[in-house]
Amino acid sequence: MNDIYTFPKDFIWGTATASYQIEGAWNEDGRGPSVWDTFAHTEGKIDDNTTGDKTCDHYHRFKEDVALMKKMGLKNYRLSLSWSRILPEGKGGVNQKGLDFYNDLIDELLAAGITPFITLFHWDLPQALQDAGGWANRETAYLYRDYAEIVTKALGDRVKNWMTHNEPWVHTMCGHFFGNHAPGLTDLKKALQTAHHMLLAHGLAIPVIRKNSKGCRVGLVNNLEWIEPASSSERDKAAAARHDGAFNRWYLDPLFFGSYPQDMMEWYGEDVPQIEAGDMKIISTPMDFLGVNFYTRRIMAHDSQGNFLNCRQVRYPFMRKSDYEEWENNAEGLYRLLIRLKEDYNSPELMITENGTPLQDKIENGEVHDPDRIDYLYRHMGAAWQAIADGVDLKGYFVWSFLDNFEWCLGFTKRFGLVYTDYESGKRIVKDSGRWYEKVLKTNSISL
Ligand code: IFM
C-alpha cells in the first residue's frame, strides 16, 4: 500500500491564474491596451499566432468558473489584476467598470468560501506607460504605488493576501533582454534597470497595501530554480553560480539583504542599474512571505560561446519524453531549493505560489486523462511535505493552473490546467488531475 503524507492543519492549498492569460475581453468596458495586447497583436511574436483577446473568456464566465472551483472544493485562489482594465492609461482616471469586475469577482469568490490571493502585476503593463519608457523609467515605480493605492483602497476590506509582482525575472529578462515576451526589447542595461524599478515599486507599495488592507499579508513572487553544475570542474561550478546569480540571487538578495549580489554586479559591469540613495532600504522593507514559483531544476555548463553568462544548459539523457522542453520533472530540486532558501535567507515564511506541468492533454470520451501531471504534482507536493518536515516554514501550495490558458509566447500550445479549456466552445472539463487534487484538498494529504 502507498504511504499517505499528511500536511499541517492550516496548510493553504490553492490554484493560480493571471489576468492576461484567462480574462479575454481585451477591449471591453473601457479596458486600455497592455504591452501584451500590443505584443500578441504583432505578427510572428506568438508561436501559434494567437492572442489573449478571448482566451478562456473568464471576464464573461467568472461566475461559472468560481462555481466550478467551489464544486472542486478549492478554498484559495491566486489571481492577478489587469492594471489597464482599472487604469486604462496606467494613471489618472479610474475605469469604474474595470474595477467593478474585480469587485464582483472577489464577492463571488468570498460567497463561495474561496479566499482570494491577489497579484498586482503579472507582466501586463499598460501600453501607455510603456510608451513613456515602461519600467526602465523610474516614474513607473511611483505610478505602480498609486495603482496599488487605488486597488487596495477598493478591495482591501475583503482581500487580505497580496503579492506585488509575479516573477520579475521573466518580465525583465524575457521582456527586455531576450525579447520573446512583451514589450519585446533586447537591451541588458534596460532589463536590469527594469528589474531595479520593479523591486523599488514592490518596496514602495508595501506600506500602501498594509495601510489599506488592515491585517493583510504581503509578499513578492519569484520564479526560482534549483541549479547544479554539469560537472565538478571549476568552470562549470562558476557557470552554475553565475546562472544562480542572474536568475535567483538577483531577485532575492535585494529583498532580504538590501544589496545586489557582488559577483553579479562585477559580471554585469557597465550594465548594472542606476541605484539612488535609499532605494535598497525601500526594496528590503520586510515582507510577510516569499512566493516561490517552481517548475524545474537546471544543470549548467561553462560555454564561452554560450549565453550572456557564458553558460549553456545541459539536457540530461534520462529526462522523460513528456518533460516540457527543458523543464525536467525533478521534485528533489524543489526540496533542495526550499532548504536552500531556509539556510541562505534566514528561514523566511514561504508559499509555493505556482507549480505544475504542461502536457498535450486530449479529450477521450468526454474525459481528460493526465497521469503524468498527477505524478508531477504528487512528487512536488511530496517535496514540499519533506521540506516542512525538515523545518522549512512553508505555508501553502498553489497549482499552476486552475484551467488551461494562454501561455504567453507559446500561445495555446501548452496546457497546464487542472481543468481543460475548450477554447472554441468555452467548455471546461475537470481533468483526472483536478479530481485527484479534490482528494488532496479533502484529506489534506497526498497519496497515489
Ligand atoms: O504561465 C506561466 C505563468 O504566467 C507564470 N509562471 C510560469 C507559468 C508557466 O509557464
Side-chain angles (χ1 to χ4, degrees), residues 154-428:
L155 309 178
D157 56 335
R158 286 153 293 153
V159 177
K160 298 296 174 189
N161 299 281
W162 297 93
M163 282 154 269
T164 52
H165 293 308
N166 182 70
E167 303 181 355
W169 180 87
V170 174
H171 189 62
T172 62
M173 296 305 282
C174 297
H176 298 74
F177 180 54
F178 303 123
N180 60 331
H181 272 213
L185 306 180
T186 51
D187 180 332
L188 182 59
K189 189 161 180 63
K190 255 193 193 149
L192 297 176
Q193 195 63 58
T194 288
H196 182 66
H197 291 155
M198 284 184 71
L199 293 173
L200 178 65
H202 154 82
L204 289 169
I206 292 178
V208 171
I209 299 170
R210 288 193 173 131
K211 168 176 68 90
N212 292 329
S213 176
K214 293 276 174 286
C216 72
R217 301 187 62 69
V218 54
L220 175 145
V221 172
N222 270 328
N223 51 316
L224 301 171
E225 287 178 347
W226 177 250
I227 294 157
E228 290 175 27
S231 78
S232 56
S233 79
E234 289 310 316
R235 284 181 1 145
D236 285 350
K237 282 201 236 165
R242 281 197 298 281
H243 182 72
D244 179 55
F247 195 90
N248 292 330
R249 289 181 285 125
W250 195 262
Y251 303 88
L252 288 169
D253 289 15
L255 300 173
F256 291 101
F257 307 144
S259 58
Y260 287 103
Q262 194 49 40
D263 57 335
M264 295 314 295
M265 288 293 275
E266 282 161 24
W267 181 267
Y268 286 140
E270 286 181 353
D271 289 322
V272 296
Q274 200 176 333
I275 304 169
E276 292 195 6
D279 283 3
M280 300 314 289
K281 189 153 191 282
I282 295 172
I283 291 173
S284 55
T285 303
M287 350 177 249
D288 298 303
F289 65 92
L290 173 74
V292 177
N293 290 356
F294 181 88
Y295 288 90
T296 194
R297 83 163 159 173
R298 219 169 278 270
I299 296 161
M300 302 305 292
H302 174 88
D303 185 349
S304 47
Q305 307 298 308
N307 65 9
F308 69 113
L309 299 168
N310 284 2
C311 288
R312 177 172 52 86
Q313 180 179 347
V314 174
R315 191 185 154 92
Y316 270 8
F318 50 75
M319 277 170 74
R320 303 172 322 165
K321 261 214 174 115
S322 63
D323 286 346
Y324 164 39
E325 291 166 7
E326 305 307 318
W327 288 12
E328 179 193 6
N329 177 347
N330 184 277
E332 195 185 333
L334 173 60
Y335 170 77
R336 289 179 182 227
L337 171 73
L338 294 172
I339 296 289
R340 185 253 176 121
L341 290 171
K342 167 172 163 315
E343 287 173 353
D344 290 0
Y345 293 95
N346 199 16
S347 298
E349 179 174 320
L350 302 176
M351 189 101 75
I352 296 172
T353 34
E354 283 182 28
N355 179 235
T357 193
L359 298 171
Q360 300 297 332
D361 300 312
K362 299 264 175 314
I363 307 177
E364 291 167 47
N365 302 321
E367 298 187 336
V368 180
H369 306 300
D370 54 348
D372 281 351
R373 182 170 290 107
I374 295 175
D375 174 71
Y376 179 99
L377 295 176
Y378 171 77
R379 288 169 190 269
H380 286 76
M381 290 171 186
W385 182 92
Q386 187 64 55
I388 297 169
D390 292 341
V392 173
D393 188 10
L394 178 66
K395 292 290 197 296
Y397 174 101
F398 290 70
V399 176
W400 183 269
S401 173
F402 168 56
L403 74 174
D404 297 336
N405 57 52
F406 181 79
E407 179 56 17
W408 308 110
C409 56
L410 304 176
F412 294 106
T413 62
K414 298 278 180 260
R415 293 180 177 272
F416 277 89
L418 294 173
V419 174
Y420 184 96
T421 309
D422 179 330
Y423 296 108
E424 283 302 311
S425 67
K427 193 168 172 209
R428 279 61 164 141

